[in-house]
Amino acid sequence: MNLSLEGHTGQICVAIWNEVFQKLTTSDEHGVIIVWMLYKGSWYEEMINNRNKSTVSSMCWGSDGQKICIAYEDGAVIVGSVDGSRVWGKDIKGPGLAAVQWSPDNSSLLFALSNGELHLYDDQGNFMMPVAVNGITGPMEVTTMDWFPGTAPRNRPVLAVCYRGGMLLLMKNCIEEDSILIDTNMTTIDCHWNHIGTVLAVAGHTSDNTNVVQFFTAYGEHIRTLRVPGGTMRALSWEKRSLRLAIAVDSFIYFANVRPDHKYAFYGNTLAFISGAETVTFWDTVTNQSWVNHIPDVIDMYGAEEYCIIATVNTLIISNQQGIQCDAKTVNVSMAYVTINSKAIAVAASKESFMVWKFSTPSRSLTSEQLFHPDGTLLTANGTAFQDDTICCLACSDSHLLIGRDSGTILLFSLLSFKRITSININSRPYKMSLNSNSSKFLVIDQPGCLHILDTDMSNNISVGQALRKDVWSAMWATDNPHMLAAAEKARLYVMRDNEPEEPLVMQGYLCKFKELEITTALLDNLSDKCSPQHIVRVEVKSLRDTRQLIEKVGLKEAENFIKDNPHPQLWLLLAEAALRKFESENAVETAEAAFVRRNDYAGIKFVSRLNALHSSALKKAEIMAYFKDFDAAEKIYLNEDRRDLAIALRKRLGHWFRVVELLKMSANTTDAHIKQAYVNIGDFYIDRQNWSGALEYYKMSNNTEGLKKCYMALEDNESLSKLFISSPRTTKDTKLKQNDAELLDSKINEQPSIQYIIQLKESGRTIQAANMAFQLANVEASKNASPLRIKKLYILAGHLYNQNPGAAGCTGAEWWRRGAAQHWLATAASPMRPDAALRAAARLHALLPALHPAQHRAAWCTIASIAIQNRAFDLASKAFIKLEAMDPAVFENLAVEIFTRCRPKDAKGNRIECPNCEGSMPEWVSSCPRCSWQLETCAVSGRSLHGSHTLWCCRVCDARAPRHELVLRHSCPLCHAELA
């Protein structure tokens, strides 16, 4: 609304707003101060004050809105309350006052004197200290100050002081002398922090009287410059959420839309974004599921295909589409920029260096990383990384890497050979870069917002020419067309094909994906941890819209001619689907087949071929309905045509087994086998969702023994499980054998040992013989290099049988468990796991290797050598290769020479622990002290060395040990599987 300030008789000099109590305070050139309040839709004068001695130079409300401080040009200060009462007054001796600010906690006041000095007072008007100001050149007059009233990290500047000569001072507080000084190269007028204190807007005019607003980060880094038309600029103000900026010029108010540089990543169908001060939300935009992870201090993030990389202050995190951490790396230098490609290669850069990291994936467990200077030369461990021309942005594709530097130089590298291809200077600091789908071109948006499109095969230092577009703040290449890109320019979205723009669209949100002629954007400004489909906007490009209109309003033939002139796989798919919907029209099926051929869609071609084989129009329509995923309509047509078999087959293909049961019950040709198959699949459906009770019901109806076993074990229903075992055909047969053929059993147990004979011996009460046979069978399996897990189970079985009747001959009780432990660590070391865990398992295997069967020694030593080399434990690797060379010198001798000529047989530095016996230092993964040979206790779960027996758990059966926290989710011993006591 408009308000006439009728109580003032002179020009308004100062106007401030009380956000808490919604009051306006104004002061004119005669020193008259009026507080205005809104009452029943109109503004009224709540209070008036006129000191009649001097003009007000500055006013400021406290962050809680309770007190106002008024500073006069002659040095007088008045602090009043919101209800109009005077709290205290004071005259500050000196040249006069220019500005005043409350501290964020309202405990102190900062005054700027006319000569540029800064003085700090407490909230009662008592002088505390002068504030040190060093390095200011030019006029010392302070034009404005802004002290961010919200919460901020301790190391982030929150106080901004602007001097008329163009100097900008950023300070964390008034006590520390560590401040940031910036020369804005303009005469400053006003400055304000945004609502979260991360961006400072500074208004002023240059030497040629051009109005500009410069934006800086809290650490003084220049972000963007906005030119403002008009005459004299007076002031500026942020909108509440900092999405718009109001600028007063002459008698006009200009509004500027502000696009915050949100940290987000869109990969697959997942949008990852910062949803809180210390949280990142991963939102599946198709299923609308979301996962919130606690990841504080996020600096940058980027996503591609299946993974995204998130950079925090000291960690790089790789997450999949559900937000599950797949890999992580601790870094010594804070990485400011990150990118990733579909080949599982991540690139992270600080200001002075960058790192290429091949992170681990399910198909690639080995990781590697290399550090480089900004110019691409390797960064050695002892080398310095300081550079004057620092890195300001980066981008990569599957084959190329772009590094942008502050001087405007862009370096292009090959990610395959890592050689520098070219160097280009755009004469301005690059802001964002991106490579197209085949890495033939790349786009650059510089700091002023100019868009350049360059070829990757350009010569060094060639002129880049004129910018393609201006005022661009974001751009994205199409993932399926190297000639198309989307560029966000102010509030418009341009789709460009071969550098030629189409008609502009309204830009909503932030660019996420450009694929299949559809642009996906996210409304990040309105997005919190509660996500809904309304936050995703999809926009079709002009060719897709035109094709759709031609199909709907003209016909298939004209649409086909248009697509031939503007070919794209998505347009051919649109034509094919439209032709299928009109399959009864003349040549419609042939048109669909031709469209599928042109987009190389083999499945579509086969589908049309299957349609041509059908002679019933109704069945063709049903197939087409199923193609468009209208399965209910397709089923209805099948039933109307009396083809219940086709309806059942359709539901089986879809996995709709509940509906299959309903259809089978309505069919006269249903057999018991069909019903049982459906019940088994319904049981599997419930098991996948861990609904054991639901699965049990259907497994009983289908008499599925294996499914019942799974359910009884999950429900821990041992009684039902034993009844199921007794009633099984094999058990009945074994019981008869026990009762009637005891003599035959005695003759057979001396033959080849087997599990069946072990069971028979146990059931007949001969546990000692059963234990010996299990031990023999384990040795037989070990001699065949069978699975270590199977051999371990046999040794453990022998141990349990022995414990039922101790005193068995041939092997001591402890030996059963020792051999089982050796097989346990062999299986653990051979399974995929983190490198440090694998090294611990290899060390435990090395200690127990004599307990393995000789036939397993070669595989065990190979496992130890491989893990040791991966972890750079070359001393352990050397011991393994000595044994392997003795076994097969022709295979391992040359390999050993090649490895140990490069690397000394010495373990790399890592985490170390202290020996409890000799107090010597040793690696944390070893099983015994290298100095005194003291055998360390080992955790049976993780393989870690154990300290502090008061926190340990000990198995009462096999004497295995583990910290109690490792057993929280376990119900049995990790070694012998005995129930936890």
Side-chain angles (χ1 to χ4, degrees):
M1 62 178 63
N2 293 326
L3 170 64
S4 298
L5 304 179
E6 297 176 351
H8 290 291
T9 58
Q11 182 179 349
I12 302 297
C13 298
V14 183
I16 58 170
W17 177 254
N18 186 327
E19 177 66 25
V20 179
F21 292 96
Q22 300 287 292
K23 293 183 178 182
L24 176 68
T25 308
T26 56
S27 174
D28 61 22
E29 59 184 346
H30 302 304
V32 177
I33 302 172
I34 302 177
V35 179
W36 305 83
M37 63 175 292
L38 183 65
Y39 180 71
K40 293 184 178 181
S42 299
W43 288 91
Y44 295 94
E45 302 170 355
E46 184 181 19
M47 60 189 76
I48 301 176
N49 179 38
N50 188 0
R51 183 166 164 263
N52 292 321
K53 288 185 179 181
S54 179
T55 304
V56 174
S57 59
S58 179
M59 295 186 293
C60 183
W61 283 101
S63 58
D64 58 0
Q66 294 289 344
K67 293 181 183 179
I68 185 174
C69 180
I70 306 168
Y72 290 87
E73 290 183 352
D74 62 357
V77 176
I78 297 175
V79 173
S81 65
V82 69
D83 59 5
S85 60
R86 177 174 173 147
V87 179
W88 57 267
K90 187 180 184 69
D91 284 328
I92 297 179
K93 304 299 181 181
L97 299 178
V100 63
Q101 279 288 303
W102 284 97
S103 64
D105 59 358
N106 302 311
S107 63
S108 56
L109 284 161
L110 180 65
F111 294 99
L113 277 60
S114 300
N115 59 2
E117 294 180 9
L118 302 178
H119 288 183
L120 189 65
Y121 287 74
D122 66 12
D123 60 344
Q124 299 302 317
N126 302 313
F127 178 75
M128 296 175 62
M129 58 177 287
V131 179
V133 178
N134 301 317
I136 302 295
T137 59
M140 292 290 291
E141 181 185 352
V142 175
T143 56
T144 182
M145 297 190 300
D146 193 20
W147 204 335
F148 177 62
T151 58
R154 295 184 60 182
N155 64 338
R156 194 176 81 190
V158 292
L159 174 60
V161 182
C162 283
Y163 293 86
R164 186 168 300 279
M167 303 305 293
L168 171 63
L169 187 67
L170 299 177
M171 307 173 70
K172 301 173 188 175
N173 50 55
C174 294
I175 301 173
E176 298 181 10
E177 295 186 6
D178 184 18
S179 58
I180 300 171
L181 195 61
I182 304 158
D183 188 357
T184 61
N185 295 313
M186 65 179 182
T187 302
T188 58
I189 298 170
D190 198 4
C191 75
H192 286 288
W193 293 104
N194 68 347
H195 73 295
I196 54 176
T198 56
V199 177
L200 179 70
V202 183
H205 57 83
T206 60
S207 56
D208 58 354
N209 290 325
T210 301
N211 295 326
V212 294
V213 178
Q214 296 191 41
F215 297 88
F216 297 91
T217 67
Y219 301 97
E221 183 179 348
H222 182 260
I223 302 174
R224 184 69 65 100
T225 298
L226 173 68
R227 294 182 178 272
V228 182
T232 304
M233 182 161 55
R234 300 287 185 184
L236 57 80
S237 178
W238 289 96
E239 182 239 8
K240 185 175 182 180
R241 294 179 57 205
S242 303
L243 298 179
R244 290 196 301 172
L245 197 67
I247 306 167
V249 181
D250 296 333
S251 59
F252 302 98
I253 299 177
Y254 289 87
F255 290 94
N257 291 322
V258 179
R259 297 285 185 178
D261 191 7
H262 290 290
K263 303 303 179 186
Y264 71 102
F266 193 91
Y267 56 108
N269 293 314
T270 299
L271 176 65
F273 60 94
I274 299 174
S275 54
E278 296 185 345
T279 58
V280 174
T281 296
F282 297 84
W283 173 33
D284 189 321
T285 57
V286 175
T287 64
N288 281 321
Q289 290 179 288
S290 59
W291 304 269
V292 180
N293 290 2
H294 180 264
I295 306 177
D297 303 323
V298 174
I299 298 174
D300 196 15
M301 64 171 67
Y302 192 85
E305 298 292 341
E306 299 179 30
Y307 302 100
C308 83
I309 180 171
I310 301 173
T312 64
V313 174
N314 56 2
T315 310
L316 299 176
I317 300 171
I318 302 294
S319 297
N320 66 6
Q321 295 186 44
Q322 288 75 42
I324 300 171
Q325 180 175 315
C326 302
D327 201 354
K329 184 169 187 62
T330 302
V331 290
N332 298 325
V333 180
S334 179
M335 297 296 180
Y337 315 100
V338 291
T339 186
I340 195 173
N341 64 17
S342 60
K343 302 293 185 184
I345 299 176
V347 183
S350 64
K351 293 292 185 180
E352 290 83 20
S353 62
F354 67 92
M355 178 180 68
V356 178
W357 176 30
K358 295 183 179 180
F359 57 88
S360 65
T361 63
S363 60
R364 184 183 70 195
S365 58
L366 295 176
T367 65
S368 65
E369 68 276 347
Q370 285 182 298
L371 278 170
F372 297 89
H373 289 287
D375 59 2
T377 57
L378 272 172
L379 179 62
T380 59
N382 299 324
T384 176
F386 179 76
Q387 298 283 333
D388 291 332
D389 190 6
T390 57
I391 297 173
C392 59
C393 59
L394 64 105
C396 77
S397 65
D398 289 349
S399 58
H400 291 72
L401 170 66
L402 290 169
I403 300 292
R405 304 174 73 175
D406 284 333
S407 64
T409 302
I410 298 172
L411 304 178
L412 178 66
F413 298 91
S414 168
L415 270 181
L416 305 177
S417 61
F418 217 87
K419 294 181 179 178
R420 190 161 79 180
I421 299 173
T422 186
S423 172
I424 302 166
N425 196 303
I426 62 171
N427 301 318
S428 181
R429 185 175 185 265
Y431 167 61
K432 285 185 179 179
M433 302 184 297
S434 178
L435 286 140
N436 66 352
S437 58
N438 62 3
S439 300
S440 61
K441 295 176 180 290
F442 65 95
L443 64 86
V444 182
I445 303 174
D446 62 13
Q447 202 70 41
C450 298
L451 172 66
H452 302 271
I453 296 180
L454 309 171
D455 295 326
T456 53
D457 57 358
M458 291 179 67
S459 302
N460 284 330
N461 300 320
I462 194 170
S463 175
V464 297
Q466 194 173 2
L468 194 64
R469 307 291 304 180
K470 294 182 178 180
D471 297 321
V472 176
W473 56 273
S474 184
M476 175 175 287
W477 291 100
T479 58
D480 53 358
N481 190 330
H483 305 290
M484 295 184 70
L485 68 88
E489 180 182 317
K490 293 185 178 179
R492 297 185 297 272
L493 177 64
Y494 286 91
V495 176
M496 307 182 71
R497 188 192 299 267
D498 290 325
N499 300 348
E500 292 297 325
E502 295 181 356
E503 296 176 6
L505 306 168
V506 176
M507 180 59 193
Q508 300 183 65
Y510 290 74
L511 293 173
C512 291
K513 184 171 70 172
F514 187 6
K515 187 178 181 181
E516 296 176 350
L517 300 179
E518 187 178 72
I519 302 168
T520 303
T521 61
L523 304 178
L524 295 177
D525 294 335
N526 306 323
L527 201 56
S528 62
D529 55 353
K530 295 181 180 179
C531 312
S532 66
Q534 289 75 22
H535 291 123
I536 294 293
V537 179
R538 292 179 172 87
V539 180
E540 295 180 346
V541 305
K542 185 175 184 297
S543 57
L544 187 58
R545 299 195 307 271
D546 291 347
T547 304
R548 202 182 300 278
Q549 289 181 358
L550 283 172
I551 291 172
E552 292 174 356
K553 297 180 180 179
V554 183
L556 296 177
K557 189 65 178 176
E558 290 74 10
E560 184 177 6
N561 293 332
F562 175 79
I563 298 172
K564 287 179 181 178
D565 296 332
N566 303 274
H568 192 280
Q570 188 64 17
L571 299 181
W572 288 118
L573 177 63
L574 187 64
L575 177 65
E577 292 180 348
L580 288 175
R581 294 184 191 277
K582 302 177 181 180
F583 75 99
E584 294 178 342
S585 303
E586 185 179 358
N587 297 327
V589 177
E590 289 78 4
T591 301
E593 183 176 23
F596 281 129
V597 169
R598 287 184 177 271
R599 78 184 306 266
N600 298 323
D601 189 341
Y602 180 73
I605 297 170
K606 293 292 289 182
F607 175 73
V608 173
S609 177
R610 192 164 67 250
L611 277 184
N612 289 329
L614 298 174
H615 300 292
S616 169
S617 296
L619 294 182
K620 286 184 179 181
K621 185 176 181 180
E623 288 288 332
I624 292 172
M625 291 295 101
Y627 175 85
F628 287 114
K629 296 182 173 56
D630 191 354
F631 304 116
D632 293 337
E635 179 190 306
K636 186 176 180 181
I637 294 172
Y638 285 139
L639 295 177
N640 291 339
E641 293 294 310
D642 198 21
R643 292 301 305 269
R644 199 179 307 274
D645 59 324
L646 294 179
I648 293 172
L650 172 65
R651 292 299 181 179
K652 283 184 176 180
R653 289 200 306 271
L654 297 172
H656 297 171
W657 293 102
F658 292 98
R659 182 58 181 162
V660 169
V661 171
E662 294 176 5
L663 293 172
L664 286 173
K665 288 180 178 179
M666 293 188 294
S667 176
N669 300 324
T670 303
T671 63
D672 290 342
H674 292 152
I675 293 289
K676 282 187 176 181
Q677 180 196 17
Y679 284 158
V680 168
N681 281 282
I682 292 175
D684 294 342
F685 169 84
Y686 281 124
I687 275 192
D688 290 341
R689 288 150 183 81
Q690 297 185 349
N691 186 345
W692 310 108
S693 300
L696 187 63
E697 177 186 351
Y698 283 93
Y699 283 142
K700 283 180 179 178
M701 288 192 289
S702 62
N703 197 22
N704 186 281
T705 306
E706 292 300 320
L708 289 172
K709 287 179 183 178
K710 292 179 183 178
C711 293
Y712 286 141
M713 285 191 288
L715 295 170
E716 299 183 357
D717 188 350
N718 296 326
E719 183 178 351
S720 299
L721 189 62
S722 62
K723 289 179 182 178
L724 180 67
F725 180 77
I726 291 171
S727 63
S728 66
R730 188 183 72 177
T731 307
T732 306
K733 182 179 178 181
D734 291 346
T735 306
K736 290 180 181 179
L737 184 63
K738 175 182 176 181
Q739 294 173 349
N740 304 322
D741 298 317
E743 293 181 1
L744 182 61
L745 174 61
D746 289 335
S747 63
K748 286 185 176 181
I749 59 176
N750 294 321
E751 299 175 5
Q752 185 73 13
S754 68
I755 291 291
Q756 184 179 4
Y757 296 154
I758 295 171
I759 294 173
Q760 294 171 10
L761 286 169
K762 179 181 179 297
E763 291 177 349
S764 63
R766 289 178 279 184
T767 55
I768 294 176
Q769 288 176 283
N772 286 332
M773 181 172 284
F775 180 71
Q776 294 171 18
L777 182 58
N779 287 336
V780 170
E781 294 291 328
S783 66
K784 297 177 182 178
N785 267 325
S787 167
L789 283 177
R790 175 177 171 80
I791 302 168
K792 171 195 169 182
K793 291 175 182 177
L794 290 170
Y795 281 129
I796 296 301
L797 174 62
H800 283 298
L801 291 171
Y802 175 84
N803 281 352
Q804 294 178 18
N805 192 357
C811 189
T812 63
E815 187 65 20
W816 307 109
W817 311 123
R818 179 175 171 79
R819 297 198 180 200
Q823 301 295 334
H824 170 80
W825 291 117
L826 177 58
T828 303
S831 60
M833 60 175 62
R834 291 178 64 90
D836 56 337
L839 183 58
R840 288 194 294 270
R844 308 304 167 241
L845 175 61
H846 177 257
L848 291 169
L849 204 133
L852 294 177
H853 192 279
Q856 295 179 290
H857 282 190
R858 173 169 172 151
W861 283 118
C862 286
T863 301
I864 293 171
S866 174
I867 293 172
I869 291 172
Q870 180 184 351
N871 287 272
R872 305 188 68 79
F874 292 110
D875 183 39
L876 181 59
S878 174
K879 294 175 183 177
F881 269 101
I882 290 173
K883 297 292 184 180
L884 291 171
E885 285 184 71
M887 294 178 188
D888 195 345
V891 174
F892 295 104
E893 186 174 359
N894 291 335
L895 182 59
V897 170
E898 182 179 352
I899 292 173
F900 293 107
T901 51
R902 295 183 185 179
C903 309
R904 295 173 57 194
K906 184 179 179 181
D907 295 335
K909 292 181 179 180
N911 295 333
R912 303 183 73 81
I913 59 175
E914 188 179 273
C915 174
N917 184 43
C918 67
E919 299 183 355
S921 177
M922 57 185 174
E924 57 93 17
W925 50 265
V926 299
S927 56
S928 61
C929 177
R931 292 176 59 184
C932 66
S933 301
W934 178 270
Q935 292 295 323
L936 300 170
E937 296 287 353
T938 300
C939 172
V941 179
S942 64
R944 290 187 172 89
S945 300
L946 299 177
H947 304 283
S949 58
H950 61 284
T951 63
L952 299 184
W953 164 88
C954 179
C955 179
R956 52 187 168 79
V957 178
C958 67
D959 202 35
R961 286 171 166 77
R964 294 188 182 277
H965 68 267
E966 293 279 8
L967 304 169
V968 173
L969 300 178
R970 291 181 175 270
H971 303 289
S972 62
C973 171
L975 183 57
C976 71
H977 306 290
E979 186 177 358
L980 294 182

